Amino acid sequence: GQQVMQIPQYQHVQEGEDFTTYCNSSTTLSNIQWYKQRPGGHPVFLIQLVKSGEVKKQKRLTFQFGEAKKNSSLHITATQTTDVGTYFCAGSNNDMRFGAGTRLTVKP
Amino acid sequence: EADIYQTPRYLVIGTGKKITLECSQTMGHDKMYWYQQDPGMELHLIHYSYGVNSTEKGDLSSESTVSRIRTEHFPLTLESARPSHTSQYLCASSQGVAGNQPQHFGDGTRLSIL
């Protein structure tokens, strides 16, 4: 069945450094979504990508969907302590599958 | 903020007890989900529903059951709690019956079985 792999599992950065998490699917996806879960909180929907090669930006966050619609990335420029949390991708065909998440910690 | 509510927020209870975790949403969403998650770790889908009278098992084998008698209500029941059930349980809902719509999560129930 459809699987969504996400790497890295953990990432620790110094404040101001960039951060990227990657998501790969074994099958072509109809769309991919990204969520953020703050420590002690619940996952919150950030964005959805639908088109092949699509790039979307939210302030310091850049989301990309691969040309083959099998992979995606989330890049954060100049991390801040408020970026701390776990970032999940979720790939969808008929059903949505969440990746295992990347836990980001930021040292001030 | 999404209108999806879970109760209780925290529950500490002894082994063997029957537990029901409540989840309600006021958005009229058709599809609802239950996930089990250790803090900050992977989300494991345990049950989902396409709508009233629909219940499906997820990827994670679970000793729990669910029901969907009303659109807005999707309770999760553990007939006999065990320490291995200690975890966080997250309820979510999404619009329509397709699996590709954004999911809105509740605040979760943190369950500890002694």
Side-chain angles (χ1 to χ4, degrees):
Chain A
Q2 174 189 319
Q3 288 194 354
V4 175
M5 308 301 292
Q6 190 173 354
I7 57 169
Q9 188 175 1
Y10 300 95
Q11 186 77 56
H12 179 72
V13 300
Q14 190 77 34
E15 189 173 21
E17 292 181 338
D18 293 355
F19 159 76
T20 305
T21 173
Y22 301 90
C23 193
N24 291 286
S25 169
S26 55
T27 60
T28 302
L29 301 168
S30 61
N31 69 51
I32 196 153
Q33 298 170 10
W34 286 92
Y35 295 76
K36 177 183 179 181
Q37 184 176 23
R38 295 181 185 275
H42 58 269
V44 175
F45 172 74
L46 293 176
I47 206 161
Q48 177 171 284
L49 304 171
V50 179
K51 298 177 183 176
S52 169
E54 189 169 14
V55 177
K56 288 188 176 180
K57 292 192 175 186
Q58 290 180 349
K59 297 182 180 178
R60 295 177 294 103
L61 276 62
T62 302
F63 305 85
Q64 292 188 323
F65 201 10
E67 294 289 341
K69 301 182 73 173
K70 286 187 174 182
N71 57 74
S72 182
S73 65
L74 158 60
H75 179 82
I76 302 178
T77 304
T79 56
Q80 300 174 359
T81 54
T82 53
D83 294 325
V84 164
T86 302
Y87 292 84
F88 293 96
C89 63
S92 176
N93 273 320
N94 293 321
D95 292 301
M96 190 181 300
R97 289 289 182 266
F98 280 86
T102 296
R103 182 181 282 185
L104 173 66
T105 56
V106 179
K107 185 176 180 181
Chain B
E1 192 66 31
D3 296 321
I4 181 164
Y5 308 100
Q6 289 187 243
T7 58
R9 286 295 311 277
Y10 304 92
L11 180 61
V12 180
I13 200 165
T15 299
K17 301 291 186 181
K18 180 178 179 179
I19 301 167
T20 297
L21 307 184
E22 302 288 348
C23 177
S24 293
Q25 50 95 7
T26 58
M27 297 170 284
H29 285 172
D30 290 309
K31 204 161 181 181
M32 295 188 73
Y33 315 79
W34 275 103
Y35 293 90
Q36 184 177 338
Q37 183 194 36
D38 292 328
M41 303 301 284
E42 189 170 358
L43 292 158
H44 296 284
L45 180 66
I46 48 177
H47 293 283
Y48 61 100
S49 166
Y50 289 104
V52 171
N53 295 326
S54 158
T55 61
E56 306 286 343
K57 289 187 180 294
D59 301 320
L60 181 67
S61 174
S62 171
E63 292 151 343
S64 58
T65 58
V66 291
S67 62
R68 190 88 183 274
I69 298 172
R70 303 197 314 268
T71 298
E72 61 271 22
H73 194 214
F74 191 41
L76 175 79
T77 298
L78 288 165
E79 290 294 333
S80 180
R82 298 210 303 261
S84 61
H85 295 138
T86 295
S87 190
Q88 176 173 242
Y89 292 83
L90 288 164
C91 180
S93 70
S94 63
Q95 198 169 21
V97 295
N100 60 359
Q101 296 300 307
Q103 295 186 18
H104 301 270
F105 286 82
D107 288 332
T109 293
R110 287 166 177 76
L111 180 63
S112 294
I113 309 300
L114 304 178

